[in-house]
Amino acid sequence: MYDPKGNGKQKTVDTVAFTELEPPSHLRGIVHRFLELKTAGTLAEDYRFHALPDACTYLVFDQLDRRIAGVAKLRATSEEFNLGKTFHFFNIRFLPGVWQGGLDQISYGAVDAPYDGELPLLEVNQRLASLEFADSPALLSELVEDLITRKLVAPNPVTQKIFQHLDDIHTVADMAEISDLSARQLQRTLKRTTGFAPHDFLKVLRLQQTLNGKDIWSYADQSHFIHSFRKATGYTPGKYARKFDV
């Protein structure tokens, strides 16, 4: 089962809350989680959020500035964002490959500018103002259903097959065989639907499995694993585990 760890909350900052809620059952082939990230009061120092590569597309809603919302995605390596001393976001994390809209609609990284696109994100952000996060899934699900109608999100049969057979995938060739695609077809499909080349997508899946405590991936040796982990996150596995709570 694909269960991305999309954040690395600093263990030393207890006043930052990261909460996840599951989507309704009929959306679970499209939405991975609804998320909330917020401070309880004003922090003493700016908070740097360590965002892990997870191949997911996000809808981001800034609860402190209702003009700010958008569609965001990460690259194949982690990124750190300065969120300041106070922040409050609601997010929808889509599963990899389900976003069908153009990649030109996506901002890579954090969303920090007023939204001027055609989606009803600002209207939804205004309606979220009166809701606690626990009461938000119905409204967020309504938005997802609207995006389905617009054909902007849809289940991805290729990534679904990959997630269903993670234990059997060790190479890009394995991924292509399980997807019933040639290597070239897999390259085109993943690049179009996830923005990732197959080898980068495989790196992300490997990282997610190690963060979930699953030793199912065959690295050449321990030093190779440490090098790959540090390249993706900027930290060795030991330093990451001491600094962040995933």
Side-chain angles (χ1 to χ4, degrees), residues 36-87:
E36 181 185 41
L37 180 65
K38 70 174 182 177
T39 51
T42 303
L43 303 178
E45 298 179 351
D46 286 355
Y47 184 83
R48 295 188 178 276
F49 181 73
H50 192 79
L52 296 168
D54 59 13
C56 299
T57 299
Y58 292 75
L59 292 186
V60 180
F61 302 92
D62 190 332
Q63 298 299 287
L64 299 184
D65 187 341
R66 305 288 172 181
R67 302 169 302 162
I68 295 178
V71 186
K73 186 176 173 61
L74 297 176
R75 296 183 172 86
T77 55
S78 62
E79 299 181 46
E80 289 193 2
F81 304 111
N82 186 343
L83 300 184
K85 295 181 175 64
T86 59
F87 48 85

Side-chain angles (χ1 to χ4, degrees), residues 21-194:
L21 294 174
E22 289 193 3
S25 58
H26 71 286
L27 295 180
R28 288 181 188 168
I30 292 176
V31 175
H32 176 256
R33 294 286 190 273
F34 300 129
L35 316 169
E36 181 185 41
L37 180 65
K38 70 174 182 177
T39 51
T42 303
L43 303 178
E45 298 179 351
D46 286 355
Y47 184 83
R48 295 188 178 276
F49 181 73
H50 192 79
L52 296 168
D54 59 13
C56 299
T57 299
Y58 292 75
L59 292 186
V60 180
F61 302 92
D62 190 332
Q63 298 299 287
L64 299 184
D65 187 341
R66 305 288 172 181
R67 302 169 302 162
I68 295 178
V71 186
K73 186 176 173 61
L74 297 176
R75 296 183 172 86
T77 55
S78 62
E79 299 181 46
E80 289 193 2
F81 304 111
N82 186 343
L83 300 184
K85 295 181 175 64
T86 59
F87 48 85
H88 187 189
F89 296 99
F90 286 178
N91 294 349
I92 300 173
R93 181 197 285 153
F94 291 106
L95 286 167
V98 305
W99 180 259
Q100 305 295 309
L103 295 180
D104 58 326
Q105 295 175 289
I106 293 176
S107 169
Y108 281 87
V111 174
D112 56 5
Y115 181 68
D116 61 358
E118 298 178 354
L119 301 179
L121 303 187
L122 297 184
E123 175 189 340
V124 170
N125 212 11
Q126 291 297 330
R127 293 173 63 188
L128 287 170
S130 62
L131 299 176
E132 296 293 329
F133 179 58
D135 300 320
S136 69
L139 176 56
L140 297 176
S141 296
E142 181 183 311
L143 173 60
V144 175
E145 289 161 358
D146 178 55
L147 297 179
I148 293 172
T149 300
R150 294 169 183 250
K151 302 188 184 304
L152 290 176
V153 294
N156 186 322
V158 173
T159 52
Q160 282 183 339
K161 286 180 182 178
I162 291 170
F163 300 151
Q164 289 168 359
H165 298 280
L166 280 179
D167 291 1
D168 301 318
I169 297 175
H170 304 282
T171 66
V172 171
D174 292 338
M175 191 183 294
E177 181 177 356
I178 284 168
S179 304
D180 296 322
L181 297 174
S182 68
R184 185 165 184 173
Q185 287 172 323
L186 180 68
Q187 168 80 19
R188 287 200 305 266
T189 300
L190 286 184
K191 194 68 176 177
R192 176 177 56 82
T193 62
T194 72

Side-chain angles (χ1 to χ4, degrees), residues 9-10 12-17 38-44 47 87:
K9 188 169 80 69
Q10 293 183 36
T12 57
V13 186
D14 295 331
T15 52
V16 174
K38 70 174 182 177
T39 51
T42 303
L43 303 178
Y47 184 83
F87 48 85

